[in-house]
Amino acid sequence: MAIEAAKYSAVEELRNGRRVEIRALRPDDRADLLEAIGRTGAESLFRRFFVLKRAFTEKEIEFFLNIDFIAHVALVAVVEQEGRSMLVGGGRYMVVQPGKAEVAFAIVDQYQGQGIGARLMHHLAEIARIRGIRELIAEVLPDNIPMLKVFEQSGFDLSTKREPGVVHVALQLT
Ligand SMILES: CC(C)(COP(=O)(O)OP(=O)(O)OC[C@H]1O[C@@H](n2cnc3c(N)ncnc32)[C@H](O)[C@@H]1OP(=O)(O)O)[C@@H](O)C(=O)NCCC(=O)NCCS
């Protein structure tokens, strides 16, 4: 089945009734992406990047935004808030070798725990599977229960390898 990841869009309803659009990241999302990062707390950024991040360089921002939707696929979660669309999270995968990609997610603090991470995971894995990715991997901090739960509840066969300070996660998509 062909899939045009760059035009991907799906609307989901969360447990609390909130509607969220899961769609491909677009080059014109730059301002909204930066705003979302600005509303993401230091601990969340640490859990995502494994270092204390206060600001991102222009090169890093370019990397986040320049998505080819083949080797690097990025989805965002958008909600309607006070009459405007707000970017509240994102998930991406990067192919690290044929058939294998590394995933990472970040949800704006205020929107965590509502099921958005799980929905992003579902759609990202669907694109990956259709694209012939057989394994998704991730590195997760051992105390990052929400991320580990998203992987556990994804419905895919999960294996974990614990090392001091990091859990290596692997999901088999086939
Ligand atoms: C990890 C993260 C992406 C998960 O996304 P999310 O939208 O908050 O997660 P969801 O709401 O989809 O929750 C998934 C599961 O985790 C559980 N969960 C969420 N927050 C939790 C918490 N603080 N403690 C325990 N369980 C929690 C939820 O209950 C849910 O399980 P359920 O469906 O059985 O209720 C998000 O919390 C985040 O951005 N964290 C900071 C950045 C980060 O850690 N990135 C990961 C880098 S690999």
Side-chain angles (χ1 to χ4, degrees):
M1 186 174 120
I3 180 167
E4 204 170 347
K7 292 193 177 149
Y8 195 88
S9 171
V11 175
E12 297 266 8
E13 191 172 307
L14 303 177
R15 280 182 295 240
N16 58 13
R18 187 191 286 281
R19 280 162 68 88
V20 59
E21 184 189 9
I22 307 290
R23 65 156 171 81
L25 178 71
R26 300 190 298 244
D28 66 0
D29 283 326
R30 182 190 170 97
D32 290 343
L33 183 72
L34 292 178
E35 192 194 327
I37 292 171
R39 283 185 288 112
T40 304
E43 190 182 339
S44 291
L45 291 175
F46 184 76
R47 285 180 155 189
R48 167 66 175 83
F49 296 103
F50 284 55
V51 288
L52 280 173
K53 275 280 183 197
R54 284 192 182 82
F56 292 88
T57 64
E58 191 53 38
K59 211 172 156 190
E60 286 171 320
I61 296 165
E62 284 302 312
F63 175 76
F64 292 147
L65 284 166
N66 282 335
I67 310 299
D68 64 6
F69 285 98
I70 298 167
H72 189 175
V73 171
L75 298 179
V76 289
V78 177
V79 300
E80 287 293 318
Q81 181 87 25
E82 285 147 21
R84 64 172 280 237
S85 292
M86 263 185 26
L87 203 158
V88 295
R92 59 185 65 219
Y93 75 70
M94 272 160 278
V95 177
V96 290
Q97 65 184 62
K100 185 170 174 174
E102 180 161 5
V103 280
F105 300 87
I107 311 294
V108 169
D109 289 38
Q110 202 196 329
Y111 290 87
Q112 290 176 11
Q114 299 182 14
I116 297 175
R119 300 323 297 157
L120 276 167
M121 174 71 215
H122 169 82
H123 290 282
L124 208 51
E126 197 52 24
I127 295 172
R129 208 176 50 77
I130 290 167
R131 288 288 182 78
I133 306 281
R134 292 182 303 278
E135 186 177 37
L136 289 179
I137 58 165
E139 292 192 342
V140 184
L141 289 171
D143 67 351
N144 194 348
I145 307 301
M147 190 68 253
L148 292 168
K149 274 203 174 181
V150 167
F151 288 134
E152 277 163 21
Q153 294 171 0
S154 66
F156 297 107
D157 184 28
L158 168 84
S159 58
T160 54
K161 195 169 123 227
R162 283 183 182 263
E163 274 180 22
V166 65
V167 183
H168 301 274
V169 173
L171 287 171
Q172 306 306 322
L173 299 189
T174 47

